[in-house]
Amino acid sequence: MRMTRTTLTMAVLTLGVCVSVAAGGAPMGPPIAVLGEGQWSIGGEFAHEQMDMEAFGLVTETNGEDFTTFYAQPFTFEDITVNMAFGTLGYGICDNWDIFVRAGVSDAKDDLILHPATGTNDEDEFGFDGDFGLAWGAGTRATFGRSGPWSFGGLIQITWFNPGDSDFDLNGFTPTSTITGDASVKYWQTQVALTAAYETETWRIWAGPFVQFIEGDLELDGQELDGSTFLNSFDADADIEESSQFGAHVGASVLLGNQWNLFVEGQITGDSWLVGIGAGFTPESVGL
C-alpha cells in the first residue's frame, strides 16, 4: 500500500468541493408572513457568503493493476465564497401564512489547504472554481402571534444548489507529471428560523436564531499523466452530510408605496457569514 502525494492531492480536492459548497447559505427574508390572504408577489434576491471550514474525506485510486482507498489528512478552507441570485414567487394562504418558490443560479469558489497529519509542516494549497449553476427551492413563513408593534413567527425553507463544475490542473507526484480532472457537487440545504419583529407603518426590523442541515452528492474524476504516459486515475462518489449548524439572523425591510418591499439581511454561524438583499412586488389581492 503506498500513500502517494497524488492520492493526498486528490483526497483534498474531493473534500474541498464537498465541504466548501455544503456550508453555503440561502437568503431568508422576513421569517414572518408578509402577504395577506389571496395576495401574491414576485421578486428577486441576491446573497453573498464567506466562511472557513475543516474536514476529512475519502478517495479511490487505480493504477491499472489494483485499487487502494485512503482517508485524507486534516485540511482547512480559507475564505470560501458563494454567490447566489434568485427570482421568487410568493402566495398568501391566509393573513398569517405564506408559501414561496425560488429559482436562480449559484457559484462556489475557495482555497483549500492540506495539513499533514505527521512528520512535517509542509502544506499544499489547491482551488475549486465553479461557475454559476442551477439553484432552486421552496419554503413557507408564518406569523404565530402579535402584541402591539411586535410580531413573532418562523420560516422553513429548502434550497437545491448545483454549482457549475470545476476543472483542475496540478503538479503531479513526479517532477514531470500533471494531474487533471473535473469535480461537481449537488446538495440540499434546509433552514429553520424563528424571529421576533418590530413593525411600523413602513419599516420592519427582525432578529432570531436559525438552524440548517446539509445533504448532497459529490462526483470527481481525474488522472495523472507524465507526458502522454498514464500513471494513475481517480474516481470519487461521496455523500455530503453535515450535522445541524446553529446561528443567528437579523434583517430590516421597508415598504415603498403599497406594492414594493425591499429588505436586507445578515446570517452568522460559528464559521460563516452571509449578507443578502431582496425586493418584492405585490399587485392587488386575488382570489383562489
Side-chain angles (χ1 to χ4, degrees):
M1 181 180 296
R2 60 189 183 90
M3 181 67 75
T4 67
R5 180 175 179 273
T6 301
T7 302
L8 287 176
T9 298
M10 296 305 296
V12 172
L13 284 171
T14 300
L15 276 171
V17 177
C18 173
V19 177
S20 66
V21 295
M28 292 188 290
I32 60 174
V34 295
L35 299 172
E37 181 177 358
Q39 283 188 315
W40 61 274
S41 68
I42 57 174
E45 302 168 331
F46 174 81
H48 173 86
E49 185 176 36
Q50 190 173 94
M51 71 201 78
D52 294 333
M53 295 288 287
E54 298 180 356
F56 291 85
L58 191 68
V59 69
T60 302
E61 172 193 359
T62 176
N63 58 14
E65 298 176 358
D66 54 21
F67 291 84
T68 306
T69 300
F70 300 97
Y71 284 95
Q73 301 297 307
F75 65 97
T76 60
F77 307 87
E78 290 191 346
D79 297 332
I80 300 162
T81 59
V82 179
N83 297 293
M84 63 202 78
F86 297 100
T88 62
L89 177 64
Y91 183 76
I93 301 296
C94 63
D95 287 343
N96 294 318
W97 182 22
D98 300 347
I99 57 175
F100 60 90
V101 295
R102 58 163 57 107
V105 294
S106 69
D107 71 350
K109 303 178 188 296
D110 64 17
D111 294 322
L112 318 179
I113 299 176
L114 168 65
H115 300 283
T118 59
T120 71
N121 294 321
D122 294 338
E123 293 182 345
D124 288 316
E125 184 171 329
F126 312 96
F128 176 84
D129 188 1
D131 293 327
F132 283 95
L134 176 66
W136 61 274
T140 183
R141 50 172 57 97
T143 299
F144 305 143
R146 305 177 192 273
S147 177
W150 290 95
S151 298
F152 305 92
L155 169 145
I156 300 175
Q157 67 179 16
I158 184 168
T159 311
W160 168 253
F161 293 92
N162 185 9
D165 295 352
S166 176
D167 56 10
F168 50 86
D169 187 355
L170 303 168
N171 294 328
F173 179 63
T174 70
T176 58
S177 65
T178 58
I179 301 170
T180 60
D182 296 286
S184 65
V185 292
K186 304 176 181 68
Y187 67 96
W188 292 99
Q189 182 200 52
T190 302
Q191 290 176 296
V192 181
L194 297 174
T195 196
Y198 184 87
E199 301 180 55
T200 68
E201 290 185 0
T202 57
W203 283 90
R204 177 187 292 117
I205 302 173
W206 66 87
F210 76 95
V211 62
Q212 58 188 14
F213 306 88
I214 310 291
E215 185 173 352
D217 298 304
L218 163 71
E219 295 180 357
L220 183 146
D221 297 297
Q223 61 180 348
E224 182 182 14
L225 299 176
D226 190 344
S228 60
T229 302
F230 170 83
L231 298 180
N232 297 284
S233 65
F234 305 86
D235 295 291
D237 188 358
D239 293 331
I240 301 173
E241 294 182 355
E242 188 177 34
S243 60
S244 63
Q245 187 174 15
F246 292 90
H249 64 95
V250 63
S253 64
V254 58
L255 180 65
L256 302 180
N258 294 320
Q259 297 177 310
W260 283 98
N261 192 290
L262 308 180
F263 76 85
V264 59
E265 71 169 287
Q267 302 174 20
I268 188 168
T269 69
D271 50 36
S272 68
W273 59 264
L274 176 147
V275 293
I277 58 174
F281 175 75
T282 306
E284 295 295 329
S285 298
V286 296
L288 293 174

